[in-house]
Amino acid sequence: MDISITHHLKYEYSNEVSLDPHTIYLFPRLNESLSLKKFKLDIFPEPSQIYQNIDLEGNIQTISFFNKKTKSLTFNALIEVETIAFNPFDFVFFPFEASKLPFIYSQNELLILAPYLENKNITTLIDQTARAIASESGWSTANFLVNLSNYINRNFSYLIREEGHPKDPEYTLLHKIGSCRDYSVFFIACCHVMGLAARFVSGYYYSSNLEKNHLHAWVEVYLPGGGWRAFDPTQNNAVSNLHIPIAASLFPEKIGPVAGNFRGKSNSVLSTEVIVRNIE
């Protein structure tokens, strides 16, 4: 499938401001089922310097520097990718014991995965909820992940919330409402209860050419034998070729599309537009 994405962000300031360096995550995170056909990023005012880096977790970030005052800042990204459909469960758990919960990652895996197993946001209620879902899933690793998505999709009310960091997972569980990033952070917390390494993913989701689009979020879980496999509790599916990841991270707040500060006495207003289309 050939997918086109346009992402427009505009900051408007009530007075002229000076811009500090801005970090931008808009370049797709490519893999064996996702290839890039086109990427174009226009920034206004034009940066005095611009660099493309790779961050600690392998995401491509753009850093822009500015030397002029301005009353607005605009980012226009055009992305075209080709995606290939695949079965997200077409792998064998290895060692075989990893197909059942709980299991322990190997020592070598733990050296790398330890940060993605942090359970600092785990409360008694989250622990009990995750274990109940695992029990209902027959302690099957794959069934737990599918049923966790089902639980969120069935019991929570979806809320479009374009700004702000994800809510604490217990807040989302208690209120049974949240955005895609709130769902994802709660999903990650439940994975951590069961000893599964998980991380937050930011990107785009294609549903139809008639659907209104927003920046999206989902989760990747590290499964021995399968590697990092993605699950989307908002759409209630295991991820295949309809998701276009931009960045994956332990820190959801670090991989927003644009981050930076301005200097000067001014109010600011952000407007955004995302369009995701099948262009085949």
Side-chain angles (χ1 to χ4, degrees):
M1 180 183 293
D2 290 342
I3 296 176
S4 170
I5 302 152
T6 57
H7 193 159
H8 169 83
L9 303 100
K10 184 173 185 179
Y11 296 87
E12 295 182 274
Y13 308 103
S14 56
N15 297 299
E16 279 197 334
V17 298
S18 298
L19 299 171
D20 287 342
H22 279 58
T23 302
I24 304 145
Y25 284 101
L26 290 171
F27 194 94
R29 188 179 173 99
L30 307 177
N31 55 52
E32 64 278 2
S33 63
L34 176 67
S35 57
L36 183 67
K37 300 183 72 174
K38 183 176 183 179
F39 178 80
K40 188 172 187 289
L41 176 62
D42 293 320
I43 304 174
F44 305 98
E46 185 176 350
S48 57
Q49 293 176 299
I50 189 165
Y51 300 98
Q52 196 171 78
N53 293 340
I54 298 177
D55 71 11
L56 183 63
E57 295 176 281
N59 305 301
I60 294 178
Q61 61 176 200
T62 302
I63 301 179
S64 57
F65 296 81
F66 304 89
N67 59 8
K68 296 179 181 178
K69 289 190 173 183
T70 184
K71 290 192 70 174
S72 66
L73 175 60
T74 302
F75 300 87
N76 292 318
L78 171 61
I79 307 161
E80 292 182 8
V81 296
E82 180 181 3
T83 66
I84 301 173
F86 65 96
N87 178 357
F89 294 105
D90 186 20
F91 68 94
V92 175
F93 282 96
F94 189 80
F96 302 135
E97 292 79 8
S99 65
K100 288 289 187 177
L101 296 170
F103 68 85
I104 304 297
Y105 291 106
S106 72
Q107 287 301 311
N108 286 340
E109 288 172 327
L110 285 172
L111 288 173
I112 297 172
L113 297 176
Y116 302 98
L117 288 160
E118 288 256 348
N119 59 1
K120 59 184 178 181
N121 288 323
I122 305 304
T123 63
T124 300
L125 182 58
I126 292 173
D127 184 277
Q128 292 173 342
T129 301
R131 293 183 186 279
I133 295 170
S135 177
E136 292 167 4
S137 305
W139 302 97
S140 161
T141 303
N143 290 346
F144 167 74
L145 294 167
V146 171
N147 290 338
L148 177 56
S149 280
N150 288 338
Y151 174 83
I152 295 170
N153 188 268
R154 185 174 63 248
N155 293 288
F156 294 11
S157 297
Y158 181 65
L159 171 71
I160 296 175
R161 185 168 58 84
E162 295 187 356
E163 296 187 45
H165 296 321
K167 301 288 188 182
D168 286 338
E170 177 154 296
Y171 178 95
T172 301
L173 177 57
L174 287 171
H175 291 81
K176 297 291 193 298
I177 189 170
S179 66
C180 56
R181 58 192 180 280
D182 302 323
Y183 285 10
S184 296
V185 167
F186 172 71
F187 190 105
I188 290 169
C190 290
C191 287
H192 289 169
V193 169
M194 304 313 303
L196 292 169
R199 64 189 183 189
F200 185 93
V201 185
S202 177
Y204 308 100
Y205 172 74
Y206 171 76
S207 54
S208 81
N209 282 3
L210 301 177
E211 191 79 16
K212 186 175 181 181
N213 306 114
H214 303 274
L215 192 69
H216 194 44
W218 58 95
V219 178
E220 287 182 347
V221 183
Y222 187 82
L223 302 175
W228 289 103
R229 298 280 163 156
F231 297 85
D232 184 346
T234 305
Q235 299 299 329
N236 194 19
N237 58 28
V239 169
S240 179
N241 66 321
L242 300 180
H243 293 70
I244 299 91
I246 295 298
S249 181
L250 179 66
F251 308 104
E253 67 278 6
K254 299 293 186 182
I255 55 172
V258 176
N261 297 313
F262 66 85
R263 286 175 286 115
K265 293 183 178 180
S266 178
N267 297 319
S268 65
V269 176
L270 170 63
S271 59
T272 66
E273 182 183 40
V274 176
I275 300 172
V276 183
R277 296 290 181 262
N278 180 353
I279 56 173
E280 287 184 344

